[in-house]
Amino acid sequence: MEKLVKKILTDQEIKEQVKSLAQKINKDYKNKDVILIGVLKGAIVFLADLMRYLDINIDLDFMAISSYGSETKTSGVVRILKDLDESIANRHVILVEDIIDTGLTISYLMRNLRSRKPKSLEICSLLRKKDKQKATIEAKYVGVEIPNCYVVGYGLDYNQQYRQLQDIFILESDD
Ligand code: IMP
Ligand code: MG
């Protein structure tokens, strides 16, 4: 069995982080049109909050991927389950992620998206685990650096559970 052991971010703290990320994006993309690409499913709660603090023109699209690996570890081998609806060629793109752990997933996505020739491409991730990046990731917008443990809530899941929690918790599992 697994259990929630500690609240590491309250909904209020998350809100402040999201707001401050949005302010940076508003400033950097003033007078530009941006397409936000959400990585399903984990990023939807973050994306839904983030976009409501943006005062620039945005378009939304989504990708769904599955990474081969166990429940709590990514292998870096990624399969696209749902691709973008639209072309991103010559457009300003921000890839919106919930969390960067090893960085393998996002580096695969960045390579894939870069090959479609966007005008610009940046990463916005709410969380990043410290000292974990196997792939070198240049993430321009990162909310909070967290310790190297498994977290759930605010869109983040364990076995598709816990996504609806308003705060973010550390999850510990016995197995
Ligand atoms: P990475 O490829 O190791 O960077 O893993 C990234 C993906 O794994 C994220 O998009 C999440 O879906 C998932 N993930 C990594 N760490 C956690 C966590 O602590 N809680 C929930 N999901 C996680
Ligand atoms: Mg994810």
Side-chain angles (χ1 to χ4, degrees), residues 39-43 65 96-99 105 109 155-157 163:
V39 184
L40 295 173
K41 303 168 189 167
I65 53 169
V96 181
E97 252 289 35
D98 47 5
I99 187 164
T105 305
L109 284 173
L156 292 146
D157 76 305
R163 292 192 198 275

Side-chain angles (χ1 to χ4, degrees), residues 94-108:
I94 302 177
L95 184 59
V96 181
E97 252 289 35
D98 47 5
I99 187 164
I100 302 173
D101 181 1
T102 61
L104 292 169
T105 305
I106 206 137
S107 70
Y108 168 85

Side-chain angles (χ1 to χ4, degrees), residues 99-102 127-134 142 144-149:
I99 187 164
I100 302 173
D101 181 1
T102 61
L127 307 174
R128 180 166 60 190
K129 288 187 197 171
K130 278 186 195 140
D131 312 321
K132 266 301 281 287
Q133 273 80 63
K134 284 187 189 145
V142 175
V144 191
E145 302 269 357
I146 61 163
N148 182 14
C149 37

Side-chain angles (χ1 to χ4, degrees), residues 104-163:
L104 292 169
T105 305
I106 206 137
S107 70
Y108 168 85
L109 284 173
M110 290 295 278
R111 253 182 290 134
N112 182 294
L113 295 176
R114 211 174 278 126
S115 73
R116 306 180 199 199
K117 306 274 186 272
K119 194 181 276 175
S120 69
L121 176 61
E122 298 293 349
I123 295 168
C124 179
S125 181
L126 178 65
L127 307 174
R128 180 166 60 190
K129 288 187 197 171
K130 278 186 195 140
D131 312 321
K132 266 301 281 287
Q133 273 80 63
K134 284 187 189 145
T136 323
I137 308 298
E138 293 289 332
K140 187 160 189 187
Y141 308 99
V142 175
V144 191
E145 302 269 357
I146 61 163
N148 182 14
C149 37
Y150 201 83
V151 293
V152 294
Y154 196 72
L156 292 146
D157 76 305
Y158 174 76
N159 272 347
Q160 303 303 325
Q161 281 191 74
Y162 306 108
R163 292 192 198 275

Side-chain angles (χ1 to χ4, degrees), residues 55-74:
D55 57 19
I56 50 174
N57 286 330
I58 57 155
D59 202 341
L60 275 187
D61 211 337
F62 294 94
M63 278 183 93
I65 53 169
S66 107
S67 44
Y68 296 101
S70 67
E71 270 114 33
T72 57
K73 283 195 192 75
T74 2

